[in-house]
Amino acid sequence: MSAAPLLAALFARALPGLAARDLGLPLGALLPWLPGTRAGIADAAALDPMERALLARFRQQGLPLLGLDPVADAAPDPAWEPARDRLAWTPSGAPVPGASLTLVAGGTGEAPPAEGLARILLLAGRDDAPERHDLLLPEPRLAETYECLRAAASLAGPGWQQGGRHLAPQQASLLLLVPRPGHVLDLLVPAAVLPHDLPAPGGSEGLPLEGVRQLRLLPGALPPLRWRLRLDFAGAEPGPAAVFLDGLRIPARSVPGGLVASIDPPADRAPVLGLAWRDGAPPGLRLVTLEARP
Amino acid sequence: MDRPPLLMVSPLPPARNGIADYAAALLPGLAAHYDCAAAVEDWLAEAPPGVRVVDLALAHRLRGDEGRRLYQIGNNSGHGFVLQALRARPGVTTLHDPGLLHLYESTGEDRATILAGMRHAAPGLTATYARHLRGQGVSTRANHLLFDLAGEVLARSRAVIVHSRFAKARLRLTHGEAAIAHVEVIPHLLPPGRPPGRAEARARLGIGREEFLLVTAGFASLAKRLDWVLEALEGLPALRWVHAGEVPAALAPRIGRRAHITGHLPADEFDAHIAAADVLVNLRFPSSGESSGSLARALAAGTCCIVSRTGAFAELPGDAVIALPLAGGARALADALAALAAAPDRAHAIGAGGRAHAEAEMALPAVAARYRAVIEAAEDRPPGRSEPPPLLRLAADRALIAAALAGRTGACRLRLDLEDSDRLAMLSLAPGGLAAALLPPGAELRAAALEGRGLVLDLQLPG
């Protein structure tokens, strides 16, 4: 889990214009760190029925989460199809159809990649708990992509370990480790790009909340630390709103234009954030951003 | 000692729902035996201290949720989410009203499911009433008395708790001995806290010490027979009548000419009205075996209660309440009220008898211990007998189908209207074919057949 923010930063820097899909829900490790990533489930049928019913409540920019609705999944996606680099994060070991780059969480094992495919072994995260993730890509793109990633790895800070090598025509490796206690980036996400269960999708102005009594948001997984969460609003003060983490109310306080709470997210899944107002959210209220600092 | 987790799925205060109050009163007793959480639809619902409130959609993420579940189901739309949760995972269910037709109707259950339930409840009667419902959309009060839709709850629950032998007997008559083998009777519950004394309550409400006060309470459904109370009081102009609760708009002008109607009251105000009363009149006709929170409060307060000798009320001891026959109800009520007004000490004696009965049978620790016995005995028991799979009639629309199937598990039948055969043909060309285009993930299509102008799909749903 400590690797996802690093890998997100690495890919964003290495491959400008990248379009991303995180098919790792209910974990959603990549989702918060690459804003605009479309969220989904690699194998919805394998989920606990209640978890599947929960995820089916969410819409992301008006669309169901990937993997839950074959018709919606098959519809044209203007953010995905035209992109040169289409990255899919998945816990299953096979290349994701339609993706030019498949990032397999936890790696693909020791067997060589299938014919025509190449693999970059990514060892990333905290130096006392490195994680392996494998990037599967067409063999002809290995050298170029590897060089882009190596160059981007110069984002490393003091004390970081970085390295890598081209192991074979089909295989390379890249190492990016940070010393304990780890380097965790601040998170700042526009609310409208996150999966939520409001009827209206929202836009650049944020999520319209006027009159809303209850709202669920799926920000994706955060490394298991204590986070200071700030929800920023516009159009009105949020008033007496209650904040929930995975369905349970947590203490929160109002600050000008926002709400602040401390959260301890679970390690193994994306938490669901909730907001509730007894008499509905105030007129004109919009949720603009979600910010989290470790 | 570690208490095992227990998730209660129920409305809770501030919902204006007697079962919400019951659940809130029961939870502290159960918390002596279990680490309790309450799963709700309204996230700002109020549970007693020490009981976590969790959004039902996320309750499965609580540690230990794979264990014991207790559902509180009544016959109104506030319990739709409880029924959905029971469909998703079996548990022990408290069935506060064996009817449930109103619950099914008011939560948008498919008409085919309702008709199937009606057919199961009273096969000989269904043809006529089903024709009315199908042809003209007519569902009268008779439907609610004749047709009991508790079959699904009985089938899906590991055990079912009712509050009276009458309710159990009614279930037996409709569903048979085998279907109710897991039904237990646990009496209703005394409300929490000590009710105010009569003098204190009267001072608070501005009612004179010598005034004879008659109270009726709760939402004034037709079955509470306020019309009989009105008739009985025609010859007793000196009696003061307060209705502590809401009255439907159609009934309010008539009742309001004789009674003071308070509208919905917070719990402490409600208790004060009941404690201040010389007599609580709590009639029922017809009764479907429902229990009464108002009656429990009056028994706790030592207020004399007049009830109808029917349903669960007929099981109360003769020295705890005055039970009136159903025949000639208004006349009998007038006689009883006149007698009590002439001899208030008799009302006090009956009130004391009622309190003694309630404290022996309905006290929270005793009720919670009986709940625990039922929950633990049911722990390894599979849900009751299987029902024929429900038939859902829908348009061929993925969103509608997903909503209708949400929370369901096991076998299910879908009948899709073929009015729009072009759309069905188009969907059949989607990746994965018609099933992938219309059904949620995990739903397995076992068989398909054309029936008239419909396409019937036999499904197996996960879970």
Side-chain angles (χ1 to χ4, degrees), chain B residues 119-406:
Chain B
R119 229 177 346 261
H120 177 69
L125 291 172
T126 310
T128 302
Y129 289 90
R131 195 169 60 246
H132 295 166
L133 187 56
R134 250 196 325 260
Q136 283 89 38
V138 171
S139 176
T140 66
R141 287 176 63 203
N143 294 44
H144 292 253
L145 288 169
L146 293 171
F147 300 109
D148 152 0
L149 260 68
E152 184 184 5
V153 169
L154 289 171
R156 290 187 182 275
S157 301
R158 294 187 192 282
V160 173
I161 292 165
V162 294
H163 295 312
S164 67
R165 296 190 302 277
F166 175 91
K168 183 173 179 177
R170 186 181 148 154
L171 291 171
R172 179 188 294 113
L173 289 172
T174 303
H175 302 279
E177 193 67 46
I180 63 141
H182 61 336
V183 176
E184 303 285 344
V185 178
I186 297 180
H188 206 279
L189 181 65
L190 284 182
R194 193 82 193 157
R198 180 172 181 271
E200 178 194 339
R202 287 193 166 221
R204 179 171 167 182
L205 300 175
I207 295 167
R209 290 178 59 182
E210 303 305 322
E211 220 171 343
F212 192 92
L213 176 65
L214 176 162
V215 168
T216 49
F219 181 78
S221 63
L222 290 173
K224 289 186 179 173
R225 304 320 309 224
L226 295 196
D227 54 336
W228 291 359
V229 181
L230 202 57
E231 189 182 330
L233 289 178
E234 277 174 8
L236 299 167
L239 268 59
R240 181 168 177 178
W241 176 17
V242 174
H243 180 76
E246 291 178 282
V247 175
L251 209 56
R254 205 170 142 221
I255 302 301
R257 278 195 288 275
R258 179 64 177 84
H260 169 61
I261 300 170
T262 65
H264 180 81
L265 292 172
D268 58 338
E269 290 278 309
F270 190 69
D271 284 343
H273 279 82
I274 286 177
D278 289 292
V279 61
L280 175 86
V281 176
N282 201 51
L283 306 179
R284 283 293 189 288
F285 182 75
S287 167
S288 56
E290 69 273 29
S291 45
S292 167
S294 306
L295 181 64
R297 286 171 187 273
L299 293 171
T303 299
C304 173
C305 299
I306 297 180
V307 299
S308 303
R309 192 178 297 136
T310 184
F313 302 159
E315 294 166 25
L316 292 164
D319 59 354
V321 295
I322 297 174
L324 302 181
L326 293 176
R331 184 68 257 157
L333 177 60
D335 292 346
L337 288 172
L340 291 174
D345 284 352
R346 178 152 185 267
H348 299 155
I350 290 170
R355 176 147 57 191
H357 165 75
E359 286 173 351
E361 294 289 321
M362 299 161 67
L364 179 58
V367 167
R370 293 175 72 171
Y371 259 93
R372 180 176 180 275
V374 173
I375 292 167
E376 293 309 307
E379 183 60 356
D380 298 320
R381 187 188 300 153
R385 68 191 164 78
S386 61
E387 287 269 285
L391 174 67
L392 307 178
R393 179 175 295 173
L394 295 166
D397 179 292
R398 186 179 174 81
L400 289 177
I401 293 170
L405 297 184

Side-chain angles (χ1 to χ4, degrees), chain B residues 432-444:
Chain B
L434 188 66
L438 286 176
L439 303 178
E444 186 185 334

Side-chain angles (χ1 to χ4, degrees), chain A residues 26 44-45 48-55 57 67-72 74 197 213-216 218 242 244-249 266 269-278, chain B residues 13-14 41-46 52-62 65 69 71 85 88-89 398-399 406-407 409 427 430-431 436-443 462-463:
Chain A
D48 170 89
M50 293 186 187
E51 184 68 17
R52 189 170 57 242
L54 169 70
L55 295 176
R57 293 170 178 268
L68 291 170
D69 184 337
V71 175
D197 66 351
R213 295 192 57 180
Q214 299 184 157
L215 153 74
R216 297 181 188 90
L218 190 66
F244 296 79
L245 181 71
D246 272 348
L248 296 167
R249 189 168 181 174
R269 61 171 187 260
V272 174
L273 291 176
L275 286 170
W277 289 262
R278 166 60 62 207
Chain B
E41 198 173 42
D42 170 9
W43 307 347
L44 296 175
E46 297 153 11
R52 293 164 295 161
V53 174
V54 62
D55 171 7
L56 175 62
L58 286 148
H60 64 283
R61 289 187 167 194
L62 284 181
D65 176 57
R69 281 190 168 207
Y71 300 98
R89 185 168 290 178
R398 186 179 174 81
T409 57
L427 289 169
L438 286 176
L439 303 178

